[in-house]
């Protein structure tokens, strides 16, 4: 069993390595559109937001050198790797904005105001940017933003729904940041953490025309029964910018690239491969049960693949919080799968967040096999009870099935790999 577990980790880590932001940022900045912009002169001011902001900014700094006129980097606590010459580095809260979020965003806005039409804002965007880049609208407080985000996360709203609400409570989301820097142009380099690479939802689309509507935002409030004071409902009723003429965007990395890299790595280790989907977005424990059913089918009759085989999925599941335990969507998916593959030989399931974090924990996800449920039972733990309490972290930690990578520097959704030998 050790060999197949090692293979799963090799596949996961190689896939993440492939979508690290440095090469993608360098390629974008050496492309024709950006180099043509450079030839026009003017200042280049950098604003980088998200969990991968530091590494994206570092690559941009090394690529542009003295052509860069300074800027601001805003990333999650623990994701900065030190100073970058000429740039201010801030760490702030995620998944909830905090005081540092507001301070850092204010500093970024200060640096990009009063630019001319010859100047360019190099906007580096990665997942987590919604929490890390924020200036509340007039009449909206930081406490309002935290409360709304908390309610949306707890009820299992997906990222597009969450960001549809966030945009309308913000002065920088939903295309409003691009409006702030006019007449300067924005060149955005984006690492996508949203299924389908929907640019108006990645980091809540600060520099992209908003495709969502006020009516949709109010429908989300009704769908989940959100508790909002009247002033916030008024803000949700106002429309966001639908056209922006000063923005160019390049998607530098996505979950599709993550899954393709996992497939390639698995094939290199001798596994037949099947990419099942890059748009997984159901309940985490349901995804785990579904993958376990595929494993049982492979074991029983060799379909859809004959072992040794690897089934690859990408996306972002959701968790409806009902218990008071700790965990994350990848840990919950893995624990649910452990129940379904109980007793299967040479069968493992890896589920991890590409950013190296899963929920409010120090783990990236989980790696389970056919023995995991039995080991938990031997420790006096009931996997069903752990799932009911949303306490996957405690169970997986006890049986040595947590995956800890530390912050990876990228963020392009989650990866799940089922291996059967």
């Amino acid at each position: 069993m050790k060999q197949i577990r090692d293979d799963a980790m090799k596949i996961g880590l190689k896939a993440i390595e492939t979508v690290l932001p440095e090469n993608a940022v360098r390629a974008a900045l050496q492309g024709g559109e950006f180099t043509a912009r450079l030839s026009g002169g003017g200042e280049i001011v950098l604003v980088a937001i998200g969990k991968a902001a530091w590494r994206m900014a570092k690559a941009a700094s090394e690529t542009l050198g003295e052509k860069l006129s300074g800027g601001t980097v805003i990333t999650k606590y623990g994701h900065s790797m030190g100073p970058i010459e000429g740039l201010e580095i801030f760490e702030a809260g995620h998944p909830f904005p905090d005081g540092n979020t507001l301070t850092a965003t204010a500093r970024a806005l200060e640096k990009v105001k009063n630019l001319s039409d010859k100047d360019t804002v190099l906007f580096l965007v990665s997942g987590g940017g919604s929490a890390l880049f924020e200036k509340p609208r007039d009449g909206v407080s930081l406490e309002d933003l935290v409360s709304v985000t908390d309610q949306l996360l707890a009820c299992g709203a997906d990222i597009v729904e969450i960001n549809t609400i966030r945009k309308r409570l913000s002065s920088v989301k939903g295309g409003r940041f691009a409006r702030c820097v006019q007449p300067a142009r924005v060149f955005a380099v984006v690492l996508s953490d949203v299924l389908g690479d929907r640019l108006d939802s990645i980091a809540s689309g600060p520099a992209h025309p908003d495709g969502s509507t006020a009516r949709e935002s109010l429908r989300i409030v009704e769908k989940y029964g959100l508790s909002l004071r009247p002033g916030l409902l008024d803000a949700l009723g106002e429309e966001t910018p639908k056209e922006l003429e000063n923005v160019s965007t390049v998607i530098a990395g996505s979950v599709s690239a993550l899954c393709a890299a996992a497939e390639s790595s698995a094939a290199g280790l001798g596994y037949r491969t099947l990419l099942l989907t890059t748009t997984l977005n159901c309940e985490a424990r349901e995804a785990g049960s579904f993958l376990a059913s595929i494993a049982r089918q492979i074991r029983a009759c060799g379909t859809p693949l004959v072992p040794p085989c690897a089934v690859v999925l990408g996306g972002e599941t959701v968790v409806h919080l009902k218990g008071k335990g700790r965990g994350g969507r990848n840990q919950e998916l893995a624990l649910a799968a452990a129940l379904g593959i109980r007793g299967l030989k040479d069968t493992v399931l890896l589920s991890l967040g590409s950013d190296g974090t899963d929920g409010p924990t120090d783990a990236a996800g989980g790696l389970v096999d056919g023995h995991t449920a039995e080991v938990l039972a031997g420790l006096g733990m009931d996997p069903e009870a752990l799932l009911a309490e949303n306490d996957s972290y405690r169970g997986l930690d006890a049986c040595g099935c947590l995956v800890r990578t530390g912050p990876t520097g990228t963020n392009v959704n989650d990866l799940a790999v089922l291996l059967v030998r």
Side-chain angles (χ1 to χ4, degrees):
M1 191 67 79
K2 181 179 185 302
Q3 180 62 56
I4 192 172
R5 290 179 68 92
D6 288 347
D7 285 351
M9 283 304 305
K10 288 177 184 176
I11 292 166
L13 294 176
K14 183 64 176 177
I16 290 173
E17 181 184 339
T18 303
V19 295
L20 291 178
E22 288 87 342
N23 291 337
V25 169
R26 292 189 184 101
L29 297 185
Q30 291 165 357
E33 187 171 357
F34 186 73
T35 53
R37 185 68 188 168
L38 284 178
S39 65
E43 294 187 21
I44 302 173
V45 181
L46 178 147
V47 176
I49 64 171
K51 297 176 186 176
W54 189 93
R55 293 180 77 147
M56 296 180 80
K58 180 67 171 176
S61 176
E62 291 173 349
T63 302
L64 297 177
E66 294 181 355
K67 297 175 183 176
L68 199 59
S69 304
T72 306
V73 181
I74 313 172
T75 194
K76 181 179 176 179
Y77 291 118
H79 283 52
S80 169
M81 301 178 189
I84 303 175
E85 186 175 356
L87 302 178
E88 288 187 311
I89 314 292
F90 293 88
E91 291 187 335
H94 182 278
F96 304 110
D98 61 10
N100 282 350
T101 304
L102 305 191
T103 299
T105 303
R107 184 60 179 161
L109 293 174
E110 178 70 23
K111 290 197 171 187
V112 299
K113 74 177 184 180
N114 300 324
L115 295 178
S116 75
D117 59 1
K118 294 183 179 180
D119 300 325
T120 300
V121 175
L122 176 57
F123 192 39
L124 307 178
V125 182
S126 57
S130 286
L132 296 164
F133 188 58
E134 185 60 276
K135 178 184 177 183
R137 293 191 60 185
D138 289 344
V140 178
S141 68
L142 176 60
E143 291 72 22
D144 289 330
L145 297 176
V146 172
S147 173
V148 171
T149 302
D150 189 33
Q151 290 182 64
L152 287 163
L153 289 171
C155 68
D158 66 34
I159 190 64
V160 173
E161 291 175 319
I162 293 171
N163 289 351
T164 295
I165 299 295
R166 283 166 155 171
K167 294 171 193 176
R168 287 168 171 76
L169 304 179
S170 173
S171 296
V172 292
K173 294 177 168 59
R176 290 177 172 134
F177 174 64
R179 287 271 177 92
C180 288
V181 306
Q182 287 178 327
R185 287 201 58 82
V186 178
F187 186 80
V189 180
V190 178
L191 287 180
S192 172
D193 70 333
V194 173
L195 303 185
D197 301 334
R198 184 171 167 175
L199 287 168
D200 67 338
S201 195
I202 301 168
S204 298
H208 197 273
D210 185 22
S212 69
T213 66
R215 180 177 294 180
E216 287 174 345
S217 69
L218 295 172
R219 194 176 298 140
I220 293 166
V221 172
E222 182 179 355
K223 175 181 177 180
Y224 294 111
L226 303 181
S227 176
L228 304 181
R229 59 182 179 79
L232 300 187
L233 290 173
D234 292 341
L236 293 181
E238 294 185 22
E239 280 300 354
T240 43
K242 306 305 180 189
E243 294 182 2
L244 294 170
E245 297 180 353
N246 65 324
V247 180
S248 302
T249 303
V250 173
I251 296 177
S254 68
V255 69
S256 296
L258 178 73
C259 290
E263 264 201 297
S264 176
S265 179
L269 293 172
Y271 292 89
R272 299 178 182 88
T273 65
L274 171 64
L275 174 56
L276 199 57
T277 183
T278 60
T279 60
L280 185 69
N281 66 345
C282 61
E283 184 78 24
R285 68 182 64 182
E286 292 175 358
S289 297
F290 173 64
L291 280 167
S293 73
I294 294 177
R296 296 194 301 271
Q297 180 80 4
I298 291 170
R299 278 287 174 222
C301 54
T303 58
L305 292 173
V306 175
C309 59
V311 179
V312 177
L313 301 90
E316 187 168 296
T317 59
V318 296
V319 174
H320 288 83
L321 293 176
K322 297 179 180 178
K324 297 181 179 179
R326 294 181 66 205
R329 56 183 181 261
N330 289 285
Q331 294 162 63
E332 189 144 320
L333 189 159
L335 184 58
L339 278 169
I341 63 174
R342 185 171 189 162
L344 296 185
K345 295 181 179 179
D346 291 326
T347 304
V348 303
L349 186 285
L350 170 71
S351 184
L352 78 166
S354 60
D355 60 355
T357 58
D358 184 41
T361 75
D362 62 352
L367 173 59
V368 298
D369 57 44
H371 300 307
T372 301
E374 182 181 348
V375 172
L376 283 171
L379 294 170
M381 292 182 170
D382 178 0
E384 293 274 13
L386 291 168
L387 285 169
E389 194 61 25
N390 299 118
D391 206 14
S392 53
Y393 180 93
R394 185 166 66 92
L396 295 177
D397 191 28
C399 63
C401 289
L402 285 178
V403 175
R404 292 183 174 95
T405 63
T408 64
T410 193
N411 187 22
V412 290
N413 294 126
D414 302 335
L415 175 70
V417 179
L418 170 67
L419 294 186
V420 184
R421 288 179 67 92

